[in-house]
Amino acid sequence: MPELPEVEAVCQRIRRHVRGLTILEAQILRTHITRPQDPSEIVRMAAGRRIDDIRRMGKNILLLLSGDVALHIHLRMTGNLTVIPDYRLRPLRSNAWFRLEDNRALVFEDPRALGTLRLADLGALAAEVGIEPLSRRFTFARFLEMAKQSRQPAKIFLMDQRHIAGLGNIYAAEALFEASIDPRKPLARLRPDRLQALHASIVRVLRTALESAQAAYSRPDAFSEGEWYPVAVYGREGEPCPRCHRRVRRIAQGGRSTYFCPTCQR
DNA sequence: ACATTATCCTGCACGC
DNA sequence: TGCGTGCAGGATAATG
């Protein structure tokens, strides 16, 4: 579920609860989540260290620990981080948990178990994670420069974390719909005014979703329930397009579903 | 150099 | 009701 807005909201929510606290003990309940790293190594490295801060890079979460150690968490499809009032209450089906010095716990929940937890390699991560779309660095000029070089279909380009970090299947589809761009069309073939519209849509969609996610995640234990973003096309195959009322279509791109309106998006 | 496919996991919606 | 199938808001390695 989580794309940039949800991941950012999760980070903000847990940051005020765990920052400055020391991890007394870590447990990894599903050992495959650390592959190819050794889970016992991560447990050993985390114990006794203070959580100095929590950072987000695209959809990646970094727990910056004392002594220049960082844990790298990726929520993938269904992961979530919560703080629970007593470490003994940890939910079933969690990937891992960290007992804090006040006996609360930071829990990495994940019903689908695709999330990952590793010791971070900050240099490698910085090299493979693209520009932050909600940062000041994401200017139209910068976007135009990237787009002109790309012959990938628009949707594939937007999903590629090396270009823009944090868009996923939902918000990529929604941004393309808002800008009336065919997801199959390579960005290099669009006129600059269309690209400008897309740039604006990416920012607007993510900002709107972030505000909703912040509201939904405001409680320390809140899980992401329900739809808080007013999706126009995502998951709406066969339903009427909100603009022209013709049917929304679903196609496959890069092994993922893409939803769009063939009439409005060209 | 590209694009598609398989894979990691589990849960759930859907059709028979 | 029960069971098989496909699919999922992600990322990556393998394959064509």
Side-chain angles (χ1 to χ4, degrees):
Chain A
M1 70 196 29
E3 304 185 33
L4 183 151
E6 293 81 10
V7 176
E8 176 62 27
V10 164
C11 287
Q12 290 174 2
R13 179 186 67 196
I14 62 171
R15 182 178 292 119
R16 31 191 188 101
H17 293 280
V18 304
R19 186 158 57 182
L21 297 183
T22 296
I23 296 171
L24 294 186
E25 175 191 8
Q27 270 199 20
I28 294 169
L29 307 172
R30 284 168 164 148
T31 54
H32 72 262
I33 69 170
T34 68
R35 250 172 350 211
Q37 296 180 2
D38 182 353
S40 61
E41 171 76 359
I42 296 174
V43 163
R44 195 173 63 74
M45 291 296 280
R49 290 184 198 270
R50 187 181 59 244
I51 302 174
D52 285 334
D53 206 354
I54 295 183
R55 266 174 52 197
R56 179 189 59 75
M57 288 176 67
K59 300 173 197 166
N60 302 282
I61 297 171
L62 294 168
L63 302 187
L64 303 180
L65 307 183
S66 52
D68 268 328
V69 169
L71 299 181
H72 174 195
I73 290 173
H74 199 300
L75 303 177
R76 297 286 181 105
M77 307 276 264
T78 55
N80 190 26
L81 293 176
T82 58
V83 177
I84 57 172
D86 187 321
Y87 74 98
R88 286 162 297 196
L89 302 175
R90 63 190 177 274
L92 299 170
R93 293 207 310 290
S94 41
N95 280 342
W97 57 271
F98 303 89
R99 177 183 170 193
L100 305 171
E101 62 181 81
D102 58 3
N103 280 334
R104 290 189 298 170
L106 175 63
V107 181
F108 182 5
E109 293 177 65
D110 190 5
R112 217 171 275 163
L114 284 169
T116 59
L117 165 66
R118 306 206 174 95
L119 290 171
D121 179 342
L122 297 181
L125 208 54
E128 66 200 32
V129 175
I131 193 165
E132 286 290 334
L134 293 184
S135 76
R136 217 173 304 166
R137 292 176 54 233
F138 186 58
T139 60
F140 172 57
R142 183 73 196 282
F143 179 62
L144 184 63
E145 189 186 319
M146 290 191 291
K148 278 198 297 199
Q149 294 169 19
S150 166
R151 272 153 292 125
Q152 290 174 295
K155 166 81 166 357
I156 304 281
F157 176 91
L158 294 182
M159 298 270 294
D160 190 332
Q161 302 299 301
R162 292 168 301 185
H163 300 141
I164 300 170
L167 280 169
N169 214 13
I170 294 179
Y171 299 131
E174 293 298 310
L176 287 166
F177 174 77
E178 219 188 90
S180 303
I181 291 169
D182 188 325
R184 298 164 294 190
K185 194 160 198 166
L187 291 184
R189 289 179 40 213
L190 291 167
R191 286 200 316 271
D193 62 312
R194 310 288 317 281
L195 290 171
Q196 189 141 30
L198 180 57
H199 175 262
S201 290
I202 290 166
V203 174
R204 191 161 48 233
V205 163
L206 290 176
R207 279 200 200 291
T208 304
L210 175 58
E211 284 171 24
S212 308
Q214 283 167 331
Y217 285 174
S218 57
R219 291 188 302 128
D221 58 342
F223 192 66
S224 53
E225 293 290 347
E227 292 280 345
W228 59 71
Y229 184 86
V231 288
V233 289
Y234 180 81
R236 298 193 181 277
E237 181 183 21
E239 293 179 43
C241 163
R243 207 173 288 149
C244 73
H245 306 296
R246 300 189 63 174
R247 286 174 184 279
V248 170
R249 263 190 72 195
R250 179 167 73 103
I251 58 170
Q253 286 184 294
R256 312 291 304 279
S257 290
T258 296
Y259 299 87
F260 73 112
C261 172
T263 309
C264 297
Q265 295 175 250
R266 340 208 113 254

